[in-house]
Amino acid sequence: MQFHNFIFSLPYLFILFCFLTVNFLRCTIHRKYLISGGIFILFFGCRGFVGWDWYSYYEIYNQTSDLIIQKYSTEPCFGFFMVGCKIIGLDYHGFVLVSTCFDFILLHLIFKLYLSKYYAWGFFFFIVFSMGYEIDLMRNIKALLLFIYSLQYVYRKKITYFLFYNTIAIGFHSSAILFFPLYFLLNRDINKRLIGSLFVIGNLLFICHIGIVKLILLPVLTFMGGVYSMMLINYLDSDLFSQPYGLSFGFVERIVTFFLLYKYASRLEQKSCINRLFINTAYMYLLLMVYCSDFSIFIDRVAAMFRYFYWILIPLLLFGKERISYHKVLISFYLFFSISRTIALTDTILYDYDNILTGMRTFYDRKNTWEHFYINNY
């Protein structure tokens, strides 16, 4: 069985091309809304058993009755969401379709609010940087999108609305509790020299493979003891979960992105003051990537939640009216990086795409493939 093949990535590259094309269509913005929605829902909402987490969600959904939420589906909003789909008689694939429509509505509101005429570029960069959330993390994506939508109330200083949306977000995934402190942090005017210094130092540590997380946390956790401390120690000692990130194309991309934001932050804020929230998110994410690089599970589970700034800031930088330096070179760089990253994330057999409209493999067939892949790789 061939586990890695470039062919597996072709459908995902095709969907990138579709959104790239939408950006250059000469039509009204409302027609772009409809086209983007159609592409997104047909591709993600009608997918078969693709990715990782359908392996769990399929069983959870089928074992959830019309009135009872299973004990291992802890978040109440997601539980009620499943029950609602069950009540109206939907099977698992109907549930995935409704879930995707829900996600699209939130993405539509976000891109309409923060990107305006660069709307379709938001979907392009969402696929590049956060497609895994849509395919595999059905609870997390809803919590994340509710938080991003609520950022407008951070800027407007309306904490009640912010708390309302993020309380619902916790109902979809408990990780949303991390978003609450950001109300007090993201709208601050941060010292750019301090951020620049921290980024340079962090990258020197990264290049020298000096693991800050292990160096600081292991002695502290060992001293504290307790169940959660031991769990974190096991993660830090694990070759699988604490595999350090190395030098890669992604490292180059983060350097380029940091210096772009560092140079053009004031211009972005002049376009819209709310962009400060995304800029500060970017600084936070890029610093986490260098200082926590020796703790890969933290990067995958926590830092990845803050990649949403790419969806908003990169389109504004690359395609805004005021051209940035080396404009065409940077567009080429990000397009090439987008292709490279998409291939890297989807070239495994688990992402061998199929669709309920054109024919798909059965659950048991895909389950057998999933188990063979897991055994041979982990």
Side-chain angles (χ1 to χ4, degrees), residues 100-162:
T100 303
C101 289
F102 182 85
D103 297 343
F104 169 74
I105 290 168
L106 289 173
L107 282 167
H108 168 75
L109 294 173
I110 289 165
F111 295 148
K112 186 178 177 182
L113 179 64
Y114 301 128
L115 279 178
S116 186
K117 64 180 180 180
Y118 308 113
Y119 176 89
W121 282 115
F123 284 101
F124 181 91
F125 286 105
F126 171 81
I127 290 170
V128 173
F129 289 99
S130 304
M131 177 172 57
Y133 269 72
E134 183 59 35
I135 292 176
D136 289 322
L137 304 175
M138 295 173 71
R139 294 174 294 159
N140 307 60
I141 185 62
K142 291 164 182 58
L144 177 62
L145 294 177
L146 285 165
F147 163 69
I148 298 168
Y149 184 73
S150 76
L151 287 177
Q152 60 183 304
Y153 302 112
V154 177
Y155 168 67
R156 297 176 188 174
K157 298 182 179 179
K158 294 185 177 182
I159 193 169
T160 306
Y161 291 96
F162 177 83

Side-chain angles (χ1 to χ4, degrees), residues 53-64:
D53 279 12
W54 59 266
Y55 189 90
S56 301
Y57 283 121
Y58 183 82
E59 297 289 354
I60 293 172
Y61 183 75
N62 286 331
Q63 291 176 25
T64 299

Side-chain angles (χ1 to χ4, degrees), residues 24-310:
F24 296 104
L25 290 179
R26 294 185 177 181
C27 60
T28 64
I29 190 66
H30 296 287
R31 185 163 291 181
K32 287 187 178 182
Y33 295 161
L34 292 173
I35 296 170
S36 297
I39 294 170
F40 190 88
I41 291 168
L42 283 173
F43 187 82
F44 291 108
C46 298
R47 69 183 184 271
F49 298 108
V50 177
W52 285 90
D53 279 12
W54 59 266
Y55 189 90
S56 301
Y57 283 121
Y58 183 82
E59 297 289 354
I60 293 172
Y61 183 75
N62 286 331
Q63 291 176 25
T64 299
S65 73
D66 293 353
L67 299 174
I68 300 172
I69 304 168
Q70 294 297 315
K71 63 181 179 181
Y72 42 76
S73 179
T74 54
E75 288 88 0
C77 290
F78 190 75
F80 289 127
F81 188 80
M82 287 195 297
V83 168
C85 291
K86 275 279 189 173
I87 288 173
I88 60 176
L90 297 179
D91 64 3
Y92 173 75
H93 295 292
F95 162 68
V96 169
L97 179 60
V98 171
S99 174
T100 303
C101 289
F102 182 85
D103 297 343
F104 169 74
I105 290 168
L106 289 173
L107 282 167
H108 168 75
L109 294 173
I110 289 165
F111 295 148
K112 186 178 177 182
L113 179 64
Y114 301 128
L115 279 178
S116 186
K117 64 180 180 180
Y118 308 113
Y119 176 89
W121 282 115
F123 284 101
F124 181 91
F125 286 105
F126 171 81
I127 290 170
V128 173
F129 289 99
S130 304
M131 177 172 57
Y133 269 72
E134 183 59 35
I135 292 176
D136 289 322
L137 304 175
M138 295 173 71
R139 294 174 294 159
N140 307 60
I141 185 62
K142 291 164 182 58
L144 177 62
L145 294 177
L146 285 165
F147 163 69
I148 298 168
Y149 184 73
S150 76
L151 287 177
Q152 60 183 304
Y153 302 112
V154 177
Y155 168 67
R156 297 176 188 174
K157 298 182 179 179
K158 294 185 177 182
I159 193 169
T160 306
Y161 291 96
F162 177 83
L163 292 174
F164 171 75
Y165 283 104
N166 286 283
T167 300
I168 298 173
I170 287 180
F172 280 105
H173 200 275
S174 55
S175 64
I177 197 167
L178 296 173
F179 298 140
F180 282 82
L182 298 181
Y183 181 87
F184 306 99
L185 300 174
L186 292 183
N187 208 20
R188 290 183 175 274
D189 188 8
I190 296 176
N191 187 316
K192 284 181 66 177
R193 288 187 178 181
L194 174 62
I195 294 296
S197 300
L198 287 173
F199 188 71
V200 171
I201 294 168
N203 276 286
L204 290 174
L205 294 172
F206 180 88
I207 292 168
C208 296
H209 298 289
I210 299 174
I212 295 295
V213 173
K214 287 186 179 181
L215 195 66
I216 297 173
L217 274 187
L218 275 176
V220 173
L221 293 171
T222 303
F223 174 77
M224 289 174 59
V227 176
Y228 291 109
S229 294
M230 288 306 299
M231 182 177 68
L232 284 171
I233 289 170
N234 289 334
Y235 274 135
L236 289 168
D237 285 336
S238 166
D239 291 335
L240 175 61
F241 295 117
S242 63
Q243 186 70 26
Y245 278 67
L247 295 176
S248 63
F249 196 2
F251 172 76
V252 176
E253 175 275 315
R254 290 190 294 274
I255 296 288
V256 171
T257 298
F258 180 85
F259 283 106
L260 264 180
L261 293 173
Y262 193 83
K263 183 176 181 179
Y264 295 106
S266 57
R267 182 188 292 185
L268 287 168
E269 288 188 41
Q270 287 172 8
K271 287 182 179 180
S272 174
C273 292
I274 203 170
N275 285 337
R276 175 188 291 181
L277 278 65
F278 296 105
I279 293 166
N280 288 344
T281 300
Y283 290 151
M284 180 172 62
Y285 168 77
L286 294 168
L287 290 175
L288 284 173
M289 286 297 296
V290 290
Y291 283 100
C292 301
S293 61
D294 57 325
F295 194 16
S296 59
I297 193 171
F298 178 83
I299 298 293
D300 294 338
R301 299 285 178 86
V302 179
M305 293 193 297
F306 303 112
R307 287 193 190 119
Y308 63 83
F309 77 88
Y310 283 105

